[in-house]
């Protein structure tokens, strides 16, 4: 069968290896596997979330509330916006898809950083759109501006903080950048890790409400998958002008969020203390990785997120290191497919990190 010819150069997204696969392949017991490959919350979800899912478990036979007003109201209050400025997606992934479906076509271009979240490129290619990347791995707004003028993209993605590298633009610089972009170009600010960055450094804190007051062409994305510990429930959100939200609603399928996901997200928002504790632990635990890197002379990128990226030098090879750890039941992320000899490690619990660092020490001391 022939398919759309523009799908030919799409690589299927390589999600962090699921635990089940490692169980099958290496015969390691599930409880002995440490998964630090998808930036999930190592402390799980709030007990309030679990309670709420249990209490609502009898509602599986009826369709969810498609207005999603309970969750929207809770989010609108927290973010100080109106519900008309909100759309909920099955993960913020789905909102990336919505905004591209609404805005691009095979004649369009989108502009992204060279090394950033893979789904921008994958979704753009679903629509046959050309993807322009700035030269630097990290976000460089001078390059973005130059390429914006040169290529006239319909959509620009800024990932702040950036996955899989961990760096984060200052929010003031983002605002200055958007001010130079014309109104008909959609600027998407992906804030999947904003809770972490805002905690570490106020200069990184993005205020979606003031952004959308100043600019009608900005879409801010947030998610419950990271700091709020709901990766398995698939809930994310977009904040934007009413004009953009209405366009996104035209491409949204009905009932895109399940009943249990909706109640889980509401409960997660109510337990901010749980999220905060995880964020504080994250940066405390990250120090162990930074100290290890300094000791072993490994380059790392200062991280504003819940992962750290080690950039390796010969003879160290990211693929070999990932395979070695995998055999020991530890799943981390290889960045070879991004053209980097680097690994991305989600910051785990203290116990997990000690084990990972012990294994890494074996490798770096043996060959270093
Ligand atoms: C994890 C992640 C998302 C979205 O995750 P969902 O689970 O789909 O909400 C979006 N952007 C970046 C950069 C991410 O790392």
């Amino acid at each position: 069968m022939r398919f759309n010819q523009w799908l030919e150069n799409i690589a299927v997204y390589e999600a962090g290896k699921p635990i089940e696969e490692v169980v099958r392949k290496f015969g390691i017991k599930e409880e002995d596997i440490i998964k630090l490959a998808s930036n999930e919350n190592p402390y799980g979800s709030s007990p309030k979330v679990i309670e709420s899912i249990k209490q609502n478990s009898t509602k599986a036979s009826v369709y969810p509330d498609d207005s999603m007003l309970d969750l929207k109201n809770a989010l609108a209050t927290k973010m100080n916006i109106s519900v008309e400025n909100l759309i909920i997606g099955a993960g913020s992934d789905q909102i990336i898809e919505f905004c591209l479906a609404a805005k691009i076509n095979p004649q369009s271009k989108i502009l992204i950083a060279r090394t950033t979240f893979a789904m921008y490129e994958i979704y753009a290619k679903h629509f046959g759109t050309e993807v322009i990347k700035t030269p630097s791995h990290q976000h460089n707004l001078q390059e973005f501006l130059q390429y914006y003028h040169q290529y006239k993209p319909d959509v620009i993605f800024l990932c702040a903080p950036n996955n899989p590298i961990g760096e984060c633009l200052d929010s003031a610089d983002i605002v200055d950048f958007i001010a130079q972009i014309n109104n008909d170009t959609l600027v998407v600010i992906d804030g999947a890790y904003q809770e972490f960055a805002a905690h570490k450094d106020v200069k990184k804190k993005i205020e979606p409400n003031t952004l959308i007051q100043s600019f009608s062409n900005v879409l801010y994305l947030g998610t419950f998958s990271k700091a709020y510990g709901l990766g398995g429930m698939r809930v994310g959100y977009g904040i934007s002008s009413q004009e953009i939200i209405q366009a996104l609603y035209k491409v949204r399928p009905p009932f895109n969020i399940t009943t249990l996901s909706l109640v889980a997200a509401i409960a997660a928002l109510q337990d901010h203390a749980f999220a905060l504790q995880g964020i504080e632990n994250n940066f405390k635990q990250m120090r162990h990785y930074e100290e290890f890197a300094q000791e072993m002379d490994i380059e790392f990128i200062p991280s504003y997120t819940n992962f750290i990226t080690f950039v390796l030098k010969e003879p160290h090879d990211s693929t070999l290191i990932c395979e070695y750890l995998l055999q020991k039941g530890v799943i981390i992320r290889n960045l070879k497919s991004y053209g980097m000899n680097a690994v991305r490690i989600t910051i785990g619990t203290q116990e997990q990190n000690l084990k990972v660092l012990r294994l890494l020490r074996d490798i770096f001391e043996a060959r270093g």
Side-chain angles (χ1 to χ4, degrees), residues 262-312:
L262 289 169
V263 296
I266 294 166
L269 275 184
Q270 285 164 350
D271 195 356
H272 184 67
F274 174 85
L276 184 62
Q277 183 69 57
I279 292 167
E280 286 174 354
N281 289 349
N282 173 67
F283 287 114
K284 265 188 224 144
Q285 288 297 317
M286 193 181 294
R287 289 225 302 274
H288 299 304
Y289 286 92
E290 292 170 348
E291 284 161 12
F292 174 80
Q294 274 153 359
E295 186 189 337
M296 297 290 158
D297 195 28
I298 301 168
E299 183 191 340
F300 69 92
I301 294 152
S303 166
Y304 292 86
T305 62
N306 63 350
F307 58 82
I308 189 161
T309 296
F310 285 173
V311 182
L312 306 172

Side-chain angles (χ1 to χ4, degrees), residues 129-193:
T129 291
E130 187 183 350
V131 178
I132 309 290
K133 296 179 184 180
T134 57
S136 301
H137 282 296
Q138 302 188 26
H139 285 70
N140 174 322
L141 288 175
Q142 251 83 52
E143 292 176 1
F144 266 89
L145 209 53
Q146 186 197 330
Y147 275 49
Y148 160 71
H149 289 299
Q150 190 174 336
Y151 293 101
K152 308 194 169 25
D154 282 331
V155 183
I156 301 172
F157 285 93
L158 299 178
C159 191
N162 185 24
N163 178 14
I165 298 191
E167 95 279 8
C168 191
L169 291 164
D170 283 0
S171 59
D173 294 338
I174 293 177
V175 171
D176 287 349
F177 174 78
I178 302 169
Q180 300 175 73
I181 303 301
N182 92 40
N183 259 333
D184 195 41
T185 304
L186 177 64
V187 183
V188 181
I189 312 291
D190 187 340
Y193 302 93

Side-chain angles (χ1 to χ4, degrees), residues 90-93 117 120 159 163 190 192-193 223 225-226 234-236:
S92 55
D93 249 52
F117 191 48
Y120 312 145
C159 191
N163 178 14
D190 187 340
Y193 302 93
T223 181
S225 299
K226 309 288 161 62
R234 316 301 305 122
V235 193

